[in-house]
Amino acid sequence: MYSIGIDIGGTKIAGALVNDLGEILEQRQVPSPAHSAQQMEDSIVELIQELSQGNPVKAAGVAAAGFIDAAQSTVYYAPNIAWRNEPLKDKLEARINLPIVIENDANAAGWAEYRFGAGKSFTHMTMLTIGTGVGGAIIANGELFTGGFGAGAEIGHLRVQPDGLECGCGQRGCIESYGSGRALLRYLREETGNPALDANEGKKLLEDGDPAAWRALETLGSWLGIACASLSAVLDPQVYVIGGGVAAAGEHLLQPIRESFLTNLSAQGYHPEPEFRIAQLANDAGVVGAADLARKHAEKL
Ligand SMILES: [Zn+2]
């Protein structure tokens, strides 16, 4: 069975034809008309039509950054796209003869890791995506957990520091301000004593294995470990999957997360230890996850 996954980013829309093993059979990419809701809808329709041509497609899933309702149909709010209370599922289904599912992009990526990647052999998985910010996804008992209103699993806004740094969400002390790529750049600047260090220079230090870069990663990892310890008290996942650009640091990131996790874990020594793994699907996770969630939805119809 084939389904289509669409992943909407701030600069491009990626689309893929995916089979039920999560394999990509065909891929397309177009620029993202983020400023216009109508043009965005047109681009999605065109992509789905192109990818379904001549293929027995059963459903399509659309992943976008933002709040999506629990029924996987309405985009309440998308920070980078001109969508406010957009009934996207209904609009797309009126133009395309396929069942459509809408999902938050971090949730779609988490679903892909759970089905086909680093979380494959588990039933309870928590994913943290360390990009510019901190995204997350929760799989509980083999199902995507999105909360009663669809706005759950926003792990980036877990508070780790009362009265801490200001966050884009309007609160203070969220893990996003301490465990994100942006925070890592701040630690790199502190470690190198160079307040003008930019993201590319920081990346180079990490690639070169500069000691300052490892120290910055340790700081980042120790904050993420604090967040994971709190998450384990609530969710008790068998595995944490760490994705996003910063995950390229591999063990150098996982090691300080594990150490800090164990230090901060409640009932230390009596709590089974989850695994910490790096995500496997990288840039394809969004399209593969969106396609697979659509397949799952269509099978239930
Ligand atoms: Zn926040």
Side-chain angles (χ1 to χ4, degrees), residues 81-137:
I81 309 165
W83 280 331
R84 301 294 179 262
N85 293 313
E86 178 78 7
L88 190 59
K89 176 189 167 82
D90 289 349
K91 284 190 170 178
L92 293 176
E93 284 184 345
R95 296 177 65 180
I96 302 165
N97 190 22
L98 284 176
I100 303 279
V101 160
I102 316 292
E103 191 47 78
N104 168 275
D105 58 350
N107 288 341
W111 181 254
E113 287 295 336
Y114 161 67
R115 286 273 296 146
F116 310 112
K120 202 161 57 177
S121 47
F122 302 91
T123 48
H124 292 262
M125 179 199 100
T126 298
M127 180 158 167
L128 279 80
T129 305
I130 319 299
T132 318
V134 173

Coordinates of all heavy atoms in Angstrom, one line a residue, residues 81-137:
I81 N 3.9 30.0 9.0 CA 3.0 29.9 7.8 C 1.8 30.8 8.1 O 1.4 30.9 9.2 CB 2.6 28.5 7.5 CG1 3.8 27.5 7.4 CG2 1.8 28.4 6.2 CD1 3.5 26.1 7.5
A82 N 1.2 31.3 7.0 CA 0.0 32.2 7.2 C -1.3 31.4 7.5 O -2.3 31.6 6.8 CB -0.2 33.0 5.9
W83 N -1.2 30.4 8.4 CA -2.4 29.6 8.8 C -2.8 29.9 10.2 O -2.1 29.8 11.1 CB -2.1 28.1 8.7 CG -2.1 27.5 7.3 CD1 -2.9 27.9 6.3 CD2 -1.4 26.4 6.9 NE1 -2.7 27.1 5.2 CE2 -1.8 26.2 5.5 CE3 -0.5 25.5 7.5 CZ2 -1.2 25.1 4.8 CZ3 0.0 24.5 6.7 CH2 -0.3 24.3 5.4
R84 N -4.1 30.4 10.3 CA -4.7 30.6 11.6 C -6.1 29.9 11.6 O -6.9 30.2 10.8 CB -4.9 32.1 11.9 CG -3.6 32.9 11.9 CD -2.6 32.5 13.1 NE -1.4 33.3 13.0 CZ -0.3 32.8 12.5 NH1 -0.2 31.6 11.9 NH2 0.8 33.6 12.5
N85 N -6.3 28.9 12.5 CA -7.6 28.1 12.5 C -7.9 27.6 11.1 O -9.0 27.7 10.6 CB -8.7 28.9 13.1 CG -8.5 29.2 14.5 OD1 -8.2 28.2 15.3 ND2 -8.6 30.4 15.0
E86 N -6.9 27.1 10.4 CA -7.1 26.6 9.0 C -7.6 25.2 9.0 O -7.0 24.3 9.4 CB -5.7 26.7 8.3 CG -5.7 26.2 6.9 CD -6.2 27.3 5.9 OE1 -6.5 28.4 6.3 OE2 -6.4 26.9 4.7
P87 N -8.9 25.0 8.4 CA -9.4 23.6 8.3 C -8.8 22.9 7.1 O -9.5 22.6 6.1 CB -10.9 23.9 8.1 CG -11.0 25.2 7.4 CD -9.8 26.0 7.8
L88 N -7.5 22.6 7.2 CA -6.7 22.1 6.1 C -7.2 20.8 5.6 O -7.2 20.6 4.4 CB -5.2 22.1 6.5 CG -4.3 21.8 5.4 CD1 -4.3 22.9 4.3 CD2 -2.8 21.8 5.9
K89 N -7.5 19.9 6.5 CA -8.0 18.5 6.1 C -9.2 18.7 5.1 O -9.2 18.1 4.0 CB -8.3 17.7 7.3 CG -8.9 16.3 7.0 CD -9.3 15.7 8.3 CE -10.2 14.4 8.0 NZ -9.4 13.2 7.8
D90 N -10.2 19.4 5.6 CA -11.4 19.6 4.8 C -11.1 20.2 3.4 O -11.7 19.8 2.4 CB -12.5 20.4 5.5 CG -13.1 19.6 6.7 OD1 -12.8 18.4 6.8 OD2 -13.8 20.3 7.5
K91 N -10.3 21.2 3.4 CA -10.0 21.9 2.2 C -9.3 21.0 1.2 O -9.5 21.0 0.0 CB -9.1 23.2 2.5 CG -9.9 24.3 3.1 CD -9.0 25.6 3.1 CE -9.8 26.8 3.5 NZ -9.0 28.0 3.6
L92 N -8.3 20.2 1.7 CA -7.6 19.3 0.8 C -8.5 18.2 0.3 O -8.4 17.8 -0.8 CB -6.3 18.8 1.5 CG -5.2 19.8 1.9 CD1 -4.1 19.1 2.7 CD2 -4.7 20.4 0.6
E93 N -9.3 17.6 1.2 CA -10.2 16.5 0.8 C -11.2 16.9 -0.2 O -11.7 16.1 -1.0 CB -10.8 15.9 2.1 CG -9.8 15.0 2.8 CD -10.4 14.2 4.0 OE1 -11.6 14.6 4.4 OE2 -9.8 13.3 4.5
A94 N -11.5 18.2 -0.2 CA -12.5 18.8 -1.2 C -11.9 18.8 -2.6 O -12.5 18.8 -3.6 CB -13.0 20.1 -0.8
R95 N -10.5 18.8 -2.6 CA -9.8 19.0 -3.9 C -9.2 17.7 -4.4 O -8.8 17.5 -5.5 CB -8.8 20.1 -3.8 CG -9.4 21.5 -3.6 CD -8.4 22.5 -3.4 NE -7.6 22.8 -4.6 CZ -6.6 23.7 -4.7 NH1 -6.3 24.4 -3.6 NH2 -5.9 23.8 -5.8
I96 N -8.9 16.8 -3.4 CA -8.2 15.5 -3.8 C -9.0 14.4 -3.2 O -9.5 14.4 -2.1 CB -6.8 15.5 -3.1 CG1 -6.0 16.7 -3.5 CG2 -6.1 14.2 -3.4 CD1 -4.8 16.9 -2.6
N97 N -9.2 13.3 -4.1 CA -10.0 12.2 -3.7 C -9.2 11.2 -2.8 O -9.1 10.1 -3.2 CB -10.6 11.6 -4.9 CG -11.7 10.6 -4.6 OD1 -12.2 10.6 -3.5 ND2 -11.9 9.6 -5.5
L98 N -8.7 11.7 -1.7 CA -7.9 10.8 -0.8 C -8.2 11.2 0.6 O -8.4 12.4 0.9 CB -6.4 11.0 -1.0 CG -5.7 10.4 -2.3 CD1 -4.3 10.8 -2.3 CD2 -5.8 8.9 -2.3
P99 N -8.2 10.2 1.6 CA -8.2 10.6 3.0 C -6.9 11.4 3.3 O -5.8 11.0 2.9 CB -8.3 9.3 3.7 CG -8.3 8.2 2.7 CD -8.0 8.8 1.4
I100 N -7.1 12.4 4.1 CA -6.0 13.3 4.5 C -5.8 13.4 6.0 O -6.8 13.4 6.7 CB -6.2 14.8 3.9 CG1 -6.4 14.8 2.4 CG2 -5.1 15.7 4.4 CD1 -5.2 14.7 1.6
V101 N -4.6 13.4 6.4 CA -4.3 13.5 7.9 C -3.3 14.7 8.0 O -2.4 14.9 7.2 CB -3.6 12.2 8.4 CG1 -2.9 12.5 9.7 CG2 -4.7 11.2 8.6
I102 N -3.5 15.6 9.0 CA -2.6 16.7 9.3 C -1.9 16.4 10.6 O -2.6 16.0 11.6 CB -3.4 18.0 9.4 CG1 -4.4 18.2 8.3 CG2 -2.4 19.2 9.4 CD1 -3.9 18.4 6.9
E103 N -0.7 16.6 10.7 CA 0.0 16.3 12.0 C 1.2 17.3 12.2 O 1.7 17.8 11.2 CB 0.5 14.9 12.0 CG 1.0 14.4 13.4 CD 0.1 14.7 14.5 OE1 -0.9 14.0 14.7 OE2 0.4 15.7 15.3
N104 N 1.5 17.6 13.4 CA 2.6 18.5 13.7 C 3.9 17.8 13.2 O 4.0 16.6 13.3 CB 2.6 18.6 15.3 CG 3.9 19.2 15.8 OD1 4.9 18.4 16.0 ND2 3.9 20.5 16.0
D105 N 4.8 18.6 12.7 CA 6.0 18.0 12.1 C 6.9 17.1 13.0 O 7.4 16.1 12.7 CB 6.9 19.0 11.3 CG 7.3 20.2 12.2 OD1 6.9 20.2 13.4 OD2 8.2 20.9 11.8
A106 N 7.0 17.6 14.3 CA 7.8 16.9 15.2 C 7.2 15.5 15.6 O 7.8 14.5 15.7 CB 8.0 17.7 16.5
N107 N 5.8 15.5 15.7 CA 5.1 14.3 15.9 C 5.3 13.3 14.8 O 5.4 12.1 14.9 CB 3.6 14.6 16.1 CG 3.4 15.2 17.5 OD1 4.2 15.2 18.4 ND2 2.2 15.8 17.6
A108 N 5.2 13.9 13.5 CA 5.4 13.0 12.3 C 6.8 12.4 12.3 O 6.9 11.2 12.1 CB 5.1 13.8 11.1
A109 N 7.8 13.2 12.6 CA 9.1 12.7 12.6 C 9.3 11.6 13.7 O 10.0 10.6 13.5 CB 10.1 13.8 12.8
G110 N 8.7 11.8 14.9 CA 8.8 10.9 16.0 C 8.1 9.6 15.6 O 8.6 8.5 15.9
W111 N 7.0 9.7 14.9 CA 6.3 8.5 14.5 C 7.1 7.7 13.5 O 7.2 6.4 13.6 CB 4.9 8.9 13.8 CG 4.2 7.7 13.4 CD1 4.0 7.2 12.1 CD2 3.4 6.7 14.2 NE1 3.2 6.1 12.1 CE2 2.9 5.8 13.4 CE3 3.2 6.6 15.6 CZ2 2.1 4.7 13.9 CZ3 2.5 5.6 16.1 CH2 1.9 4.6 15.2
A112 N 7.8 8.3 12.6 CA 8.7 7.6 11.7 C 9.8 6.9 12.4 O 10.2 5.8 12.1 CB 9.3 8.6 10.7
E113 N 10.4 7.6 13.4 CA 11.5 6.9 14.2 C 11.0 5.7 14.9 O 11.7 4.7 15.1 CB 12.2 7.9 15.2 CG 13.0 8.9 14.5 CD 14.3 8.4 13.8 OE1 14.8 7.3 14.2 OE2 14.8 9.0 12.9
Y114 N 9.8 5.8 15.4 CA 9.2 4.7 16.2 C 8.9 3.5 15.2 O 9.1 2.4 15.6 CB 7.9 5.2 16.9 CG 6.9 4.1 17.3 CD1 7.3 3.2 18.3 CD2 5.7 3.9 16.6 CE1 6.5 2.1 18.6 CE2 4.9 2.9 17.0 CZ 5.3 2.0 18.0 OH 4.5 0.9 18.3
R115 N 8.3 3.8 14.1 CA 7.9 2.8 13.1 C 9.1 2.1 12.4 O 9.2 0.9 12.2 CB 6.9 3.3 12.1 CG 5.6 3.6 12.7 CD 4.7 2.3 12.6 NE 4.5 2.0 11.2 CZ 4.3 0.7 10.8 NH1 4.4 -0.3 11.7 NH2 4.1 0.5 9.5
F116 N 10.1 3.0 12.0 CA 11.1 2.5 11.1 C 12.5 2.8 11.5 O 13.5 2.4 10.8 CB 10.9 3.1 9.7 CG 9.5 2.9 9.2 CD1 8.6 4.0 9.0 CD2 9.0 1.6 8.9 CE1 7.3 3.9 8.5 CE2 7.7 1.5 8.4 CZ 6.8 2.6 8.3
G117 N 12.7 3.6 12.6 CA 14.1 4.0 12.9 C 14.5 3.5 14.3 O 14.3 2.4 14.7
A118 N 15.1 4.5 15.0 CA 15.8 4.2 16.3 C 14.8 3.6 17.4 O 15.2 3.0 18.3 CB 16.5 5.4 16.8
G119 N 13.5 3.9 17.2 CA 12.5 3.4 18.2 C 11.8 2.2 17.9 O 10.8 1.8 18.6
K120 N 12.2 1.5 16.8 CA 11.5 0.4 16.2 C 11.1 -0.7 17.1 O 10.0 -1.3 17.0 CB 12.3 -0.1 15.0 CG 11.6 -0.8 13.9 CD 12.3 -0.9 12.6 CE 13.7 -1.6 12.8 NZ 14.4 -1.7 11.5
S121 N 12.0 -1.1 18.0 CA 11.7 -2.3 18.8 C 11.1 -2.0 20.1 O 11.1 -2.9 21.0 CB 13.0 -3.1 19.0 OG 14.0 -2.2 19.4
F122 N 10.5 -0.8 20.3 CA 9.9 -0.4 21.6 C 8.5 0.0 21.4 O 8.0 0.2 20.3 CB 10.7 0.8 22.1 CG 12.2 0.6 22.3 CD1 13.1 0.8 21.2 CD2 12.7 0.0 23.5 CE1 14.4 0.6 21.4 CE2 14.0 -0.2 23.6 CZ 14.9 0.1 22.6
T123 N 7.8 0.0 22.6 CA 6.4 0.5 22.5 C 6.2 1.9 23.2 O 5.2 2.5 23.0 CB 5.4 -0.5 23.2 OG1 6.0 -0.9 24.5 CG2 5.3 -1.8 22.4
H124 N 7.2 2.3 24.0 CA 7.1 3.6 24.7 C 8.4 4.3 24.3 O 9.5 3.9 24.7 CB 7.0 3.5 26.2 CG 5.7 2.9 26.6 ND1 4.6 3.7 27.0 CD2 5.2 1.6 26.7 CE1 3.6 2.9 27.3 NE2 3.9 1.6 27.1
M125 N 8.3 5.4 23.6 CA 9.4 6.1 23.1 C 9.2 7.6 23.3 O 8.1 8.1 23.1 CB 9.6 5.8 21.6 CG 10.8 6.5 20.9 SD 10.6 6.6 19.1 CE 9.9 8.3 18.9
T126 N 10.2 8.3 23.7 CA 10.2 9.8 23.7 C 11.3 10.3 22.8 O 12.4 9.9 22.9 CB 10.3 10.3 25.1 OG1 9.2 9.8 25.9 CG2 10.3 11.9 25.2
M127 N 10.9 11.2 21.9 CA 11.9 11.8 21.0 C 12.1 13.3 21.3 O 11.2 14.0 21.6 CB 11.5 11.7 19.6 CG 12.5 12.2 18.6 SD 12.3 11.5 16.9 CE 13.3 12.7 16.0
L128 N 13.4 13.7 21.3 CA 13.7 15.1 21.5 C 14.5 15.5 20.2 O 15.5 14.9 19.9 CB 14.6 15.3 22.7 CG 13.9 15.4 24.1 CD1 13.6 14.1 24.6 CD2 14.8 16.2 25.0
T129 N 14.0 16.5 19.5 CA 14.6 17.0 18.3 C 15.3 18.3 18.6 O 14.7 19.3 19.0 CB 13.5 17.2 17.2 OG1 12.8 16.0 17.0 CG2 14.2 17.6 15.9
I130 N 16.7 18.2 18.6 CA 17.5 19.4 18.9 C 17.9 20.1 17.7 O 18.9 19.8 17.0 CB 18.8 18.9 19.7 CG1 18.5 17.8 20.7 CG2 19.4 20.1 20.4 CD1 17.5 18.1 21.8
G131 N 17.1 21.1 17.3 CA 17.4 21.9 16.2 C 17.7 23.3 16.7 O 18.3 23.5 17.8
T132 N 17.2 24.4 16.0 CA 17.3 25.7 16.5 C 16.6 25.8 17.9 O 17.1 26.4 18.8 CB 16.6 26.7 15.6 OG1 16.9 26.3 14.3 CG2 17.0 28.1 15.8
G133 N 15.5 25.1 18.0 CA 14.7 25.0 19.3 C 14.8 23.5 19.7 O 15.7 22.8 19.3
V134 N 13.9 23.2 20.6 CA 13.8 21.8 21.1 C 12.4 21.3 20.8 O 11.4 21.9 21.3 CB 14.1 21.6 22.6 CG1 13.8 20.2 23.0 CG2 15.5 22.0 22.9
G135 N 12.2 20.3 19.9 CA 10.9 19.7 19.6 C 10.8 18.4 20.2 O 11.8 17.9 20.8
G136 N 9.6 17.8 20.2 CA 9.5 16.5 20.8 C 8.3 15.7 20.3 O 7.5 16.3 19.5
A137 N 8.3 14.4 20.6 CA 7.2 13.6 20.2 C 7.2 12.4 21.2 O 8.2 12.0 21.7 CB 7.4 13.0 18.8

